[in-house]
Amino acid sequence: MEEKSVFESFELEVKDEIKGYLSEISKWSYFLSIMGFIGVGLMVLAGIFVGFFSGLNNLAGSSNTLYNLGYSMGIGLFYIVLGLIYLFPVLYLFRFSKRVKSALKLNSNEDFRIAFLNLKSHYKFMGIFVIVIISIYVLILIGAMGTAFFN
């Protein structure tokens, strides 16, 4: 005999009050995603600017031109890569916002499902990103302590 999960027989009821909350959430998430797209664009432009123009400036008047050029290009590339990494959670948030608006307007369960799939992806990406950043900080701390200990 199969045992049914509690959630198999449970149907979620979305009342007008909750629809109002979701409508407000979609507006704020849309705003934040647009700000995120602008931020990503500025990061990429800053990376291009730092990599290209600082590299040209270093070529003009320094004795260590290749080192400075590589350093400038590395910093520029770092900004571009960070911008592209940050593009994914912003895109998930934007898709969530658009799908919630569509689900509320059309009363579509499929749009509602896809909206929350994108929200799940947004939070999953951000959670993994935070874990990676904390891990990098821990490794840097261990390396710094090891360097200090052995010097």
Side-chain angles (χ1 to χ4, degrees):
M1 181 194 256
E2 286 184 31
E3 222 177 280
K4 280 192 169 185
S5 169
V6 175
F7 295 108
E8 286 181 25
S9 61
F10 175 73
E11 189 170 318
L12 186 63
E13 186 177 326
V14 181
K15 296 184 179 185
D16 288 337
E17 181 183 11
I18 296 171
K19 286 181 181 179
Y21 295 152
L22 286 171
S23 177
E24 190 173 344
I25 288 168
S26 72
K27 290 173 187 171
W28 280 108
S29 63
Y30 182 75
F31 170 74
L32 290 173
S33 66
I34 295 301
M35 292 293 107
F37 284 132
I38 292 170
V40 166
L42 290 175
M43 280 184 92
V44 170
L45 285 175
I48 292 169
F49 180 79
V50 166
F52 184 72
F53 291 112
S54 293
L56 288 179
N57 189 28
N58 286 330
L59 283 176
S62 177
S63 61
N64 256 347
T65 56
L66 289 179
Y67 174 78
N68 290 335
L69 180 63
Y71 182 76
S72 297
M73 295 299 275
I75 296 294
L77 186 62
F78 180 74
Y79 271 96
I80 292 170
V81 168
L82 270 182
L84 294 177
I85 288 172
Y86 193 61
L87 178 66
F88 291 102
V90 170
L91 188 59
Y92 290 137
L93 193 62
F94 179 76
R95 290 177 181 166
F96 165 76
S97 170
K98 297 304 274 183
R99 289 294 184 144
V100 166
K101 286 179 187 177
S102 175
L104 293 174
K105 185 177 180 181
L106 303 174
N107 225 7
S108 169
N109 283 332
E110 182 63 16
D111 281 342
F112 200 58
R113 183 189 70 77
I114 293 171
F116 278 91
L117 175 70
N118 280 294
L119 187 63
K120 176 204 65 106
S121 297
H122 170 77
Y123 281 114
K124 184 177 180 180
F125 188 96
M126 292 305 291
I128 291 169
F129 188 71
V130 165
I131 290 169
V132 168
I133 294 299
I134 289 172
S135 300
I136 290 170
Y137 282 152
V138 167
L139 290 174
I140 289 171
L141 181 65
I142 290 171
M145 288 171 50
T147 301
F149 181 71
F150 289 114
N151 279 336

